[in-house]
Amino acid sequence: MTRDLLHEMDVLQKQMAELQQLVYQALVERKPASASNQQPQEITSASNIHESNHEPGSVFYSGQVHLNGDGLRWEPQERRMEQLLDMNTEKAAKILAALGNKQRLDILKAVMTEPLTGSELVERLNMGTTGQLYHHLKALLGADLLVQEHGGRYALPKHRSLPFLLLLSAAGDLLDTSDYLEMTETRNHAGMYFGTSQNFDIHQLLWAVVENSILEHTNGYGNQIGIFLHGDGSVTVTDNGRGIPVQALPNSSIPAVQSILTDVHRLNSSAHFLVPGAEKGISIAVVNALSQRLAVEIRRDGKVYRQEYRHGIPQTGLLTVRLTQDTGTSVTFKPEPELFGSTFEMNHIMERKKAIDADYPELTLTIGDIAE
């Protein structure tokens, strides 16, 4: 007998969809009693919400963790959108302010997995003095975010564990906004990178990007760099080095290239070009922050990856766009017109080329002017 595999797959997909809906329905029916008088709703993934559904929706959460030798489990809970949006923002702000301190977060993270004494916390968190520690302990104890057990050890109350973990989870999803805020500060204080408060030299951004490619060459990778000017005021710098790393950072879904392009304080794998008289060096992340738009193309591991930015904020994920046997990195950026009143000048670039050719005789630097 011949089996109709396509039909069987259709049936299986239908059964899986029905099973998923039953699971969602079970979650709704187990919601807290305060919401028991409301009719259960169909819950779908964010990508499958129908436009005709005007219900505000809900947020569901649950958890299961092992802390301090105890297994803790929270049944599925619901917070409806109207509850969240009607929250007392003054009290919510106080909660966030109480936790909006690095040392307090470090204390809570430390005692979550193991109760610790005050002296152990001072040593583990390198606080220096117990007085500094007890100032934070007093605030956390008063807010019922910390308890002191027998023996003087501090621990996180069990009933606060899940909310705190959820807060860390939400902060993790918003972690990249910290880099974007710093990039905004970079634009607001651009003079620190140019040694002057006005008349920023647009070419300094170009030299900073070229410096990355030169550093790759001096490390033994790549012997060609290209600079290509475009009619819209943008410029492309390309090389045949290894290509900026694309793998995800540890314990994160953010690719390494995105961190390099958005962390203005990063000091390791990206070169820093220091303008004479400036307070800070210009890294590739600073170039991104001071650009109206930037696109990076990476050739490595047999693939070509691409990502686009506007004002330093990613507009796409890191996309695989085609296959290749080449390696290297290409960066195309257009400086922010509000910061740079001038444009790239070919004569200026050719003068710089002479110096680079003299300093790096084994490096081939190509200059091009591409009209668009």
Side-chain angles (χ1 to χ4, degrees):
M1 181 179 67
T2 302
R3 297 176 59 184
D4 189 344
L5 296 180
L6 292 177
H7 175 70
E8 292 181 16
M9 287 294 294
D10 290 339
V11 173
L12 181 60
Q13 289 178 348
K14 182 178 180 180
Q15 291 174 340
M16 288 297 294
E18 292 175 349
L19 178 60
Q20 183 183 40
Q21 185 58 43
L22 288 174
V23 172
Y24 286 149
Q25 189 67 29
L27 287 174
V28 174
E29 292 174 352
R30 296 176 69 174
K31 63 187 177 182
S34 61
S36 60
N37 60 339
Q38 299 168 1
Q39 292 298 318
Q41 294 178 323
E42 175 184 344
I43 303 175
T44 62
S45 65
S47 59
N48 293 325
I49 294 178
H50 299 293
E51 293 296 331
S52 59
N53 183 7
H54 298 295
E55 293 293 331
S58 303
V59 174
F60 288 84
Y61 58 92
S62 62
Q64 180 175 330
V65 296
H66 291 276
L67 297 174
N68 301 324
D70 294 330
L72 302 179
R73 179 188 180 99
W74 294 271
E75 295 299 325
Q77 301 179 56
E78 176 188 14
R79 290 292 182 271
R80 297 189 61 80
M81 280 294 294
E82 54 263 34
Q83 291 177 295
L84 296 175
L85 297 178
D86 195 41
M87 182 181 298
N88 186 316
T89 52
E90 182 177 356
K91 289 188 175 182
K94 288 182 179 179
I95 296 170
L96 295 176
L99 293 173
N101 179 286
K102 178 183 181 302
Q103 291 183 330
R104 291 183 186 179
L105 289 177
D106 286 340
I107 291 170
L108 294 176
K109 287 169 58 180
V111 303
M112 172 165 279
T113 56
E114 178 186 8
L116 298 170
T117 64
S119 58
E120 289 172 335
L121 281 168
V122 169
E123 181 179 359
R124 182 167 300 189
L125 302 180
N126 298 316
M127 286 190 167
T129 64
T130 56
Q132 187 180 29
L133 169 69
Y134 288 116
H135 169 74
H136 295 306
L137 292 179
K138 182 178 180 180
L140 293 173
L141 287 167
D144 192 31
L145 291 170
L146 205 64
V147 293
Q148 189 170 19
E149 300 179 339
H150 297 295
R153 295 181 178 273
Y154 296 93
L156 190 73
K158 292 182 179 180
H159 68 287
R160 300 296 190 190
S161 300
L162 177 62
F164 182 65
L165 289 172
L166 290 174
L167 181 63
L168 291 181
S169 298
D173 287 339
L174 296 172
L175 208 58
D176 58 338
T177 63
S178 174
D179 290 335
Y180 308 147
L181 289 172
E182 290 176 349
M183 298 185 86
T184 299
E185 286 299 306
T186 296
R187 288 194 293 276
N188 292 337
H189 300 90
M192 294 188 298
Y193 300 92
F194 296 94
T196 177
S197 60
Q198 57 185 354
N199 299 325
F200 303 150
D201 184 356
I202 195 173
H203 297 90
Q204 305 295 358
L205 296 184
L206 176 58
W207 308 149
V209 178
V210 172
E211 184 73 12
N212 282 274
S213 297
I214 292 177
L215 180 62
E216 184 77 347
H217 168 69
T218 58
N219 286 332
Y221 302 96
N223 59 359
Q224 298 179 22
I225 299 176
I227 301 175
F228 300 97
L229 303 181
H230 306 288
D232 63 350
S234 65
V235 62
T236 296
V237 177
T238 184
D239 65 49
N240 64 341
R242 291 167 293 180
I244 300 176
V246 296
Q247 74 276 11
L249 297 174
N251 302 317
S252 171
S253 60
I254 296 177
V257 60
Q258 181 171 322
S259 177
I260 291 172
L261 284 167
T262 56
D263 186 352
V264 296
H265 299 301
R266 189 181 182 95
L267 298 175
N268 45 18
S269 62
S270 61
H272 281 61
F273 177 81
L274 184 62
V275 176
E279 299 178 34
K280 297 183 178 181
I282 302 176
S283 68
I284 189 70
V286 173
V287 174
N288 194 14
L290 302 182
S291 294
Q292 186 180 72
R293 67 174 188 272
L294 181 146
V296 60
E297 185 176 277
I298 301 164
R299 302 172 294 280
R300 63 179 295 155
D301 306 325
K303 299 177 181 178
V304 178
Y305 304 89
R306 183 179 176 85
Q307 190 172 29
E308 297 182 0
Y309 295 79
R310 284 190 179 275
H311 300 293
I313 299 177
Q315 302 301 297
T316 67
L318 185 62
L319 307 175
T320 303
V321 294
R322 62 180 183 275
L323 303 178
T324 186
Q325 295 303 313
D326 298 330
T327 61
T329 301
S330 298
V331 177
T332 300
F333 66 97
K334 181 178 181 180
E336 176 56 60
E338 294 182 2
L339 295 174
F340 302 92
S342 60
T343 59
F344 295 108
E345 298 178 7
M346 180 61 74
N347 291 339
H348 197 154
I349 296 173
M350 293 304 296
E351 285 296 319
R352 184 74 176 184
K353 179 183 186 305
K354 294 178 182 179
I356 294 175
D357 289 341
D359 292 337
Y360 306 97
E362 296 182 1
L363 177 64
T364 300
L365 177 57
T366 302
I367 310 296
D369 192 344
I370 304 176
E372 293 185 355

